[in-house]
Amino acid sequence: MGLLDRLFAALYDTLTAPAERRWLGEARHQLLSGLAGRVLEIGAGTGANFPYYPPQTQVTAIEPSTHFLKRARAKIATAQASIELEAADAQALPFAEDYFDAAVATLVFCTIPDPMKALAEVKRVTRGGAPLLMIEHVKAKTPGAQLMQNLWNPCQNFIAGGCNVNRDTEAAVRAAGFQVVEVRELITELFLWPQVLIRATNPKG
């Protein structure tokens, strides 16, 4: 997996560039505008979110892959916000309870081995009322599209660093105890795998 991870990291920005120009960049802007305070980003990848954070944010971005971390570091200079990068696993976050004012995850909960464990960790380290902001590709609504996703998923998992195209992330967020405020479908390239923007809040008092 080391060679595949290195190759995937090297090609990631090129592969996603059409989506970034057509709809994903604007979706990131809409998702992150208005944030303030201490923000946790789960799975920074190559740092695609960094230019969109408002200057009043202090972002701690975690990423388990050394190859993606290397590319993310190069993008810190594009940010108006303060960005700190750490090598860490979303399933065991090295932060105190109630530390962050918000959490962000874009195109990452498709890959985390145990998303429920990671969501529990996000809930632990964010304060009550903190937003959880996500962009994810998710399980399709129709049986035919779900079948196509299930058939393709082993290949996707192999070539894309453990990515799964058929997860019901909205259901997982609800099951983890977050209050879902908004789920909005986004325009996609192929109109095949649904892409959604999710806004939720941590309800703990």
Side-chain angles (χ1 to χ4, degrees), residues 137-138 140 145 148-149 152 156 165 188 190-195:
H137 60 82
V138 294
M148 292 179 66
Q149 285 182 317
W152 171 253
Q156 178 80 7
V165 297
T188 65
L190 300 177
F191 301 97
L192 185 57
W193 312 142
Q195 309 269 351

Side-chain angles (χ1 to χ4, degrees), residues 127-199:
R127 61 173 176 77
L132 169 60
L133 306 175
M134 311 175 82
I135 295 171
E136 297 289 345
H137 60 82
V138 294
K139 182 179 179 181
K141 294 180 179 179
T142 64
Q146 290 174 10
L147 176 61
M148 292 179 66
Q149 285 182 317
N150 293 338
L151 290 172
W152 171 253
N153 199 64
C155 183
Q156 178 80 7
N157 194 277
F158 179 73
I159 65 176
C163 173
N164 298 275
V165 297
N166 55 359
R167 286 185 174 174
D168 190 345
T169 301
E170 178 189 349
V173 170
R174 294 182 187 277
F178 289 88
Q179 293 179 345
V180 175
V181 176
E182 178 188 13
V183 178
R184 174 158 50 94
E185 288 197 18
L186 302 168
I187 298 172
T188 65
E189 298 289 281
L190 300 177
F191 301 97
L192 185 57
W193 312 142
Q195 309 269 351
V196 296
L197 183 153
I198 300 173
R199 299 180 191 272

Side-chain angles (χ1 to χ4, degrees), residues 24-48:
L24 186 51
E26 177 58 26
R28 293 183 196 277
H29 172 70
Q30 292 179 14
L31 186 75
L32 303 178
S33 63
L35 278 177
R38 292 185 294 216
V39 178
L40 171 66
E41 180 171 345
I42 301 292
T46 64

Side-chain angles (χ1 to χ4, degrees), residues 45-145:
T46 64
N49 284 329
F50 293 175
Y52 299 98
Y53 282 109
Q56 64 269 23
T57 53
Q58 299 87 50
V59 180
T60 300
I62 68 160
E63 169 59 49
S65 165
T66 56
H67 302 301
F68 276 94
L69 273 174
K70 180 180 177 180
R71 295 178 181 277
R73 287 193 184 97
K75 290 186 183 168
I76 291 178
T78 68
Q80 301 180 71
S82 169
I83 308 279
E84 291 187 4
L85 271 172
E86 293 192 24
D89 183 349
Q91 301 161 121
L93 293 172
F95 308 112
E97 292 185 11
D98 303 324
Y99 183 77
F100 292 100
D101 301 305
V104 171
T106 58
L107 306 177
V108 64
F109 269 86
C110 56
T111 301
I112 295 171
D114 189 339
M116 294 307 298
K117 190 173 183 179
L119 286 166
E121 279 289 272
V122 172
K123 192 175 181 183
R124 178 182 67 81
V125 302
T126 54
R127 61 173 176 77
L132 169 60
L133 306 175
M134 311 175 82
I135 295 171
E136 297 289 345
H137 60 82
V138 294
K139 182 179 179 181
K141 294 180 179 179
T142 64

